[in-house]
Amino acid sequence: MRKQILSSTKSVVIKVGTSTLTNSDGSLNEERIKSLVLGICELIKKGFSPVLVSSGAVGAGMGILNIAERPKSINAKQALAAVGQVALMHLYERIFWAHSRTIAQLLLTKSDFSDRKRYLNVRNVCNSLISQGIVPIINENDPVVADELKVGDNDTLSALVAGLIDAEILVILSDINGLYDKNPNKFKDAKLISLVNKIDDNIKALGGDEGSKFGTGGMATKLIAAQMANKIGTNMIIANGKEDRILQRIFEGEELGTLFMAQKKRVRSKKFWLAYASAKKGKICIDEGASLALKKGKSLLCVGIKCVHGEFERGDIVEIECKEILARGISNYSSKEISLIMGKKSEMIEKILGYKSDDDIIHADNIAFE
């Protein structure tokens, strides 16, 4: 199955974690990075178009400054990232240069994804670099970004990048072999799960929430990334980045790690952006009837709205709630307008407001379920 999937794959996102890139003291593991770059360059020779999402800036900074424990202060972590990012990219540049490959650095924030124009601009830049045979290396802009503007972790970032460039496969390289049926650190009989067709509650329950002292992501964040990637039609593999020739072996079809199969019915790029990358401005609470209608692919009408929270304008992204968050969508009316017409029939909108923008509060094409 893997050989069949990978044989038709061209667009690849590779995410490598801090624990893979660094030694136990946080210093950069040059031999492993050389092996990683060799694998990427061999993929390019075979016709693949890889994008690298690389962690390791904070860990590298810790190694350079001889700091044993990851600091808790945001400013201290940002300073380490600023120091470490220079060393990390310098090393990547030297190693890729040895293979006659050019790299480009993209440091992104949540705003680059949440703002639709910036999102499309980053997409165009990535595609332009890829078309020229340049390897984009992406990381979050940790030295300058505030917590409220952070994507959060590079597992999530890599899934967003997969959606950004319509990648066919996302490979997450970490310090674990994949997803196990129980914690392998506690149970000797834990078995590796080689294939996951669907991420349900049972699979989610297998995720932990702890990373290493140098990194931020655990299995829980990787399962979230897998769920995101699978929705956009991207297969995902979690494998151990410390294994010899790991990328070459994966793309030769060897059954390493855990493969998460993409959904057969993929969401459109715009709906993926709405669900995961966009920034919400408010919330619309709806009744059960409206909830059922939305699940059947219908638009949201004002008659099904019970209340509005927050302030937003026409064209803003809002959450849609019925006991729990169901979806996100682009509102055709402002919060003030909706507060006047909620619970009313669509034919009453013009009489109440003096004008009518649309019959729908949110059109079905602009609704993405969580």
Side-chain angles (χ1 to χ4, degrees):
M1 177 185 290
R2 291 202 183 191
K3 285 186 177 180
Q4 185 178 359
I5 291 171
L6 295 170
S7 63
S8 59
T9 297
K10 294 299 177 186
S11 180
V12 181
V13 174
I14 299 161
K15 182 266 177 178
V16 58
T18 298
S19 57
T20 302
L21 294 172
T22 57
N23 296 305
S24 58
D25 62 355
S27 61
L28 292 173
N29 188 321
E30 292 197 22
E31 291 306 312
R32 196 171 294 139
I33 294 174
K34 286 179 181 178
S35 177
L36 170 71
V37 171
L38 174 61
I40 292 172
C41 291
E42 289 188 4
L43 289 181
I44 295 172
K45 289 178 181 178
K46 292 180 179 179
F48 293 94
S49 299
V51 172
L52 177 60
V53 176
S54 178
S55 302
V58 173
M62 290 171 64
I64 291 170
L65 299 179
N66 295 316
I67 296 175
E69 292 294 327
R70 188 182 182 92
K72 295 181 180 180
S73 163
I74 293 174
N75 289 339
K77 285 188 284 189
Q78 289 178 318
L80 288 174
V83 172
Q85 189 66 31
V86 175
L88 184 62
M89 290 307 298
H90 179 59
L91 183 57
Y92 274 133
E93 183 181 37
R94 285 195 292 111
I95 300 173
F96 273 102
W97 176 84
H99 293 278
S100 301
R101 294 292 173 185
T102 302
I103 64 170
Q105 181 185 40
L106 292 173
L107 295 176
L108 305 177
T109 68
K110 188 176 181 179
S111 299
D112 294 311
F113 291 97
S114 62
D115 182 279
R116 184 66 177 167
K117 290 182 179 178
R118 288 168 69 173
Y119 181 85
L120 293 174
N121 185 59
V122 174
R123 176 188 175 96
N124 291 337
V125 169
C126 278
N127 287 334
S128 177
L129 291 169
I130 293 168
S131 69
Q132 298 176 67
I134 298 169
V135 181
I137 300 181
I138 296 174
N139 195 1
E140 188 154 19
N141 197 358
D142 291 321
V144 299
V145 68
D147 262 8
E148 63 270 17
L149 295 177
K150 284 181 68 65
V151 172
D153 61 84
N154 277 0
D155 293 327
T156 303
L157 177 62
S158 66
L160 288 172
V161 172
L164 182 79
I165 65 167
D166 297 322
E168 292 155 297
I169 190 162
L170 166 62
V171 178
I172 291 184
L173 299 179
S174 187
D175 57 356
I176 50 177
N177 294 326
L179 179 67
Y180 284 84
D181 61 354
K182 61 183 75 172
N183 190 335
N185 294 321
K186 295 181 179 179
F187 303 96
K188 292 183 179 180
D189 62 341
K191 295 180 180 179
L192 180 70
I193 301 172
S194 62
L195 178 65
V196 174
N197 285 306
K198 183 180 179 181
I199 301 173
D200 54 21
D201 289 339
N202 291 328
I203 293 296
K204 290 178 183 177
L206 299 176
D209 58 3
E210 295 181 0
S212 72
K213 65 178 179 178
F214 300 111
T216 57
M219 182 54 71
T221 64
K222 291 168 180 57
L223 291 179
I224 291 170
Q227 193 169 29
M228 292 170 62
N230 290 170
K231 279 190 177 182
I232 196 66
T234 302
N235 295 301
M236 189 181 110
I237 292 175
I238 299 174
N240 195 326
K242 296 179 181 179
E243 290 275 349
D244 186 45
R245 298 183 68 254
I246 184 65
L247 286 175
Q248 295 93 321
R249 292 161 63 194
I250 286 173
F251 284 90
E252 286 166 1
E254 192 172 336
E255 298 221 359
L256 296 168
T258 303
L259 169 63
F260 296 83
M261 292 292 292
Q263 293 183 8
K264 291 182 179 179
K265 187 178 179 181
R266 58 166 289 176
V267 300
R268 291 187 290 119
S269 295
K270 184 179 180 181
K271 290 203 172 188
F272 180 83
W273 173 78
L274 275 172
Y276 295 113
S278 61
K280 65 179 179 64
K281 295 291 183 69
K283 184 189 299 180
I284 295 175
C285 301
I286 62 175
D287 59 29
E288 291 284 354
S291 174
L292 290 173
L294 294 190
K295 291 174 181 177
K296 292 179 181 179
K298 304 295 184 181
S299 300
L300 177 61
L301 305 178
C302 50
V303 68
I305 297 176
K306 296 167 61 178
C307 60
V308 183
H309 296 288
E311 295 184 3
F312 52 87
E313 299 299 326
R314 181 182 184 187
D316 284 342
I317 311 298
V318 296
E319 288 181 324
I320 304 170
E321 180 184 72
C322 180
K323 296 181 181 178
E324 61 181 10
I325 302 300
L326 296 177
R328 287 187 179 190
I330 303 174
S331 180
N332 290 328
Y333 290 89
S334 71
S335 54
K336 291 181 180 179
E337 291 168 330
I338 295 174
S339 65
L340 296 173
I341 59 177
M342 62 185 185
K344 308 296 183 182
K345 293 185 177 180
S346 298
E347 53 263 32
M348 295 293 293
I349 294 176
E350 188 170 1
K351 185 176 180 180
I352 295 170
L353 297 180
Y355 54 89
K356 182 194 284 190
S357 299
D358 290 275
D359 286 333
D360 313 315
I361 299 300
I362 305 178
H363 193 275
D365 289 345
N366 293 326
I367 295 174
F369 284 88
E370 294 284 303

